[in-house]
């Protein structure tokens, strides 16, 4: 399976590989931002903890959706 994914990536054009890397980068940015909002106490956001967890969880769910879309577009 991993070998098929690597072959599929190598067959892509330069533009498609760049967009793949960009998609992975933004997935990681949203994931880290969600975790920072949830667990970094000194982050200068004036929010109640329940709203911080809800907003962080929303960002993590959004990053998961982006990751699933990235995986599905890579399979084609």
């Amino acid at each position: 399976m991993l070998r098929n994914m690597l072959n599929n990536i190598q067959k892509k054009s330069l533009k498609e590989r760049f967009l793949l890397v960009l998609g992975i980068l933004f997935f990681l940015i949203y994931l880290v931002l969600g975790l920072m909002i949830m667990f970094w106490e000194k982050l200068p956001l004036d929010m109640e903890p329940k709203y911080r967890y809800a907003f962080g969880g929303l960002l993590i769910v959004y990053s998961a959706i982006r990751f699933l879309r990235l995986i599905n577009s890579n399979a084609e």
Side-chain angles (χ1 to χ4, degrees):
M1 182 174 142
L2 185 59
R3 185 170 292 158
N4 288 337
M5 287 177 59
L6 289 175
N7 287 336
N8 193 14
I9 290 172
Q10 289 175 348
K11 290 179 186 177
K12 291 184 180 284
S13 68
L14 185 61
K15 178 183 172 186
E16 289 172 332
R17 280 187 249 162
F18 174 72
L19 291 175
L20 177 67
V21 170
L22 199 62
I24 292 170
L25 176 71
F26 274 95
F27 156 70
L28 291 174
I29 287 172
Y30 282 118
L31 180 67
V32 169
L33 184 62
L35 291 172
M36 282 175 50
I37 288 173
M38 287 175 73
F39 298 115
W40 192 13
E41 295 296 326
K42 298 202 184 242
L43 190 70
L45 284 176
D46 192 26
M47 296 172 75
E48 292 182 31
K50 63 181 177 181
Y51 295 124
R52 287 175 70 119
Y53 290 126
F55 185 51
L58 184 68
L59 284 173
I60 291 172
V61 167
Y62 180 66
S63 72
I65 291 170
R66 286 186 64 100
F67 183 71
L68 291 174
R69 288 180 61 199
L70 184 68
I71 293 298
N72 288 337
S73 70
N74 191 26
E76 293 175 354

